[in-house]
Amino acid sequence: MKLDAKALRYMSTEDFRVLTAIEIGSRNHDIVPATLISQLSHLRSGGINKFITDLIKRKLIASESSSKYVGYKLVYAGYDYLALKTLSKRGSVASVGNQIGVGKESDIFVIAGDNDEQAVLKLHRLGRLSFRNVKNKRDYFRPDQSPSWMYMSRLSAMKEYAFMQVLHEHGFPVPKPIDQNRHCIVMELLDAHPLRQIEKVGEPGKLYSELMDLIVRLAKHGLIHGDFNEFNILVRDDGSPILIDFPQMVSTSHANAEFYFNRDVDCIRTFFKRRFGYESVLYPKFALDANKEFDLDVQVAASGFTKKEQSQLEAFMESEQTEASNAAPHSHDEEDEDLPSDEEIVYADD
């Protein structure tokens, strides 16, 4: 999806007041009536139509009719602009460069901040694939609360940023987090290559051991990545691994913790056997190696990403995984080689 940040310069304060009003109104309305937009934006109802028309032309909002009224809703471009406006005010994003990655549920761009240093902007887009049947997924929300692509994408970004912060602070090999707003994360741009693109390594046994040690180290700190595979591991030129993509990370106290731990281990064992012809009888086991010594999962909750929000996001993702498995079951095999992770292309060579 193209991100035309230049248009931000030509948007008025009133334009952003209308976008913000629709964002706020969307919390309780699937489509927001013009009268409510006028009320929330503190703009006269007679003049609000001009701004709404302009925003529709710019494809930042869309109009939709219900049985009772014509209303308006944000589309991803409008939500992007709201986040970029905030990140720009903070100095985290001064300019947006090329799109360098696209995942199943994100878009990724190179950006520069006020300090002119390049970084990565990741925009979570859960609604792109996951929300075709979102209105049917209410079992983990209040009866009066409708899960939306905005809400779930924001939760996904909040979770990833919270985990990235805690992991980086405790010396784990992850990108340095820089800023987060709504569904957007700004993080360090790294010089590394996706593991799935590497055909040969000098010492596969050494890299295998480092990755297994990383799985165990995470578990001892109370965390399980949940998607620990060649798509979400980068390797520097010196052979050291970097871990990316954290929306599926769970606590070792999660009901399915052992399943996720074993799946992470099996993904690495399978990949190393297939790609490098390396197989080891030594691998970590949840019952023996996942003894919790630190409480990073608790620290994540203390950082502002609450257990309630974590539960909502986990329940939604598990529901999506179940639906995907039932619709088109397949193994994480060679056929997946053409399916990049959300961040992978960011660090790949052109």
Side-chain angles (χ1 to χ4, degrees), residues 292-305:
K292 186 175 176 180
E293 299 176 1
F294 304 95
D295 294 317
L296 293 194
D297 52 339
V298 176
Q299 291 187 38
V300 168
S303 72
F305 187 74

Side-chain angles (χ1 to χ4, degrees), residues 160-218:
E160 179 158 32
Y161 190 77
F163 276 101
M164 204 184 307
Q165 273 190 314
V166 169
L167 290 171
H168 188 267
E169 289 169 1
H170 287 80
F172 281 85
V174 301
K176 179 183 178 181
I178 297 173
D179 203 353
Q180 181 263 324
N181 181 259
R182 293 176 171 88
H183 62 314
C184 297
I185 294 175
V186 180
M187 70 185 87
E188 175 186 16
L189 177 63
L190 296 171
D191 183 14
H193 308 275
L195 178 58
R196 69 177 286 269
Q197 293 185 351
I198 297 176
E199 297 296 331
K200 294 181 181 180
V201 293
E203 299 180 71
K206 181 177 182 293
L207 180 57
Y208 173 91
S209 295
E210 288 181 356
L211 293 175
M212 291 302 182
D213 288 346
L214 185 52
I215 292 175
V216 172
R217 184 183 169 198
L218 284 168

Side-chain angles (χ1 to χ4, degrees), residues 101-226:
V102 57
K104 295 182 291 295
E105 295 178 336
S106 72
D107 286 316
I108 302 164
F109 297 82
V110 169
I111 59 98
D114 283 350
N115 58 6
D116 291 329
E117 289 188 11
Q118 286 192 329
V120 170
L121 174 68
K122 178 177 180 180
L123 302 96
H124 288 245
R125 302 201 187 283
L126 266 66
R128 180 153 61 197
L129 296 180
S130 301
F131 280 80
R132 292 167 183 163
N133 300 310
V134 67
K135 293 182 180 180
N136 298 325
K137 303 176 187 298
R138 296 174 180 262
D139 53 320
Y140 40 90
F141 290 83
R142 300 192 315 267
D144 63 334
Q145 184 182 14
S146 174
S148 72
W149 58 265
M150 277 193 297
Y151 180 71
M152 299 306 293
S153 294
R154 180 173 64 85
L155 283 193
S156 182
M158 287 173 61
K159 176 179 180 179
E160 179 158 32
Y161 190 77
F163 276 101
M164 204 184 307
Q165 273 190 314
V166 169
L167 290 171
H168 188 267
E169 289 169 1
H170 287 80
F172 281 85
V174 301
K176 179 183 178 181
I178 297 173
D179 203 353
Q180 181 263 324
N181 181 259
R182 293 176 171 88
H183 62 314
C184 297
I185 294 175
V186 180
M187 70 185 87
E188 175 186 16
L189 177 63
L190 296 171
D191 183 14
H193 308 275
L195 178 58
R196 69 177 286 269
Q197 293 185 351
I198 297 176
E199 297 296 331
K200 294 181 181 180
V201 293
E203 299 180 71
K206 181 177 182 293
L207 180 57
Y208 173 91
S209 295
E210 288 181 356
L211 293 175
M212 291 302 182
D213 288 346
L214 185 52
I215 292 175
V216 172
R217 184 183 169 198
L218 284 168
K220 288 185 179 298
H221 282 75
L223 300 172
I224 298 169
H225 186 274

Side-chain angles (χ1 to χ4, degrees), residues 275-319:
R275 177 62 58 85
F276 306 123
Y278 179 85
E279 190 171 10
S280 175
V281 296
L282 301 176
Y283 57 91
K285 300 173 180 62
F286 184 80
L288 298 176
D289 300 301
N291 299 318
K292 186 175 176 180
E293 299 176 1
F294 304 95
D295 294 317
L296 293 194
D297 52 339
V298 176
Q299 291 187 38
V300 168
S303 72
F305 187 74
T306 66
K307 288 185 177 180
K308 177 184 175 182
E309 291 168 333
Q310 171 91 342
S311 298
Q312 288 179 334
L313 188 59
E314 285 176 3
F316 181 83
M317 287 186 165
E318 287 175 3
S319 173

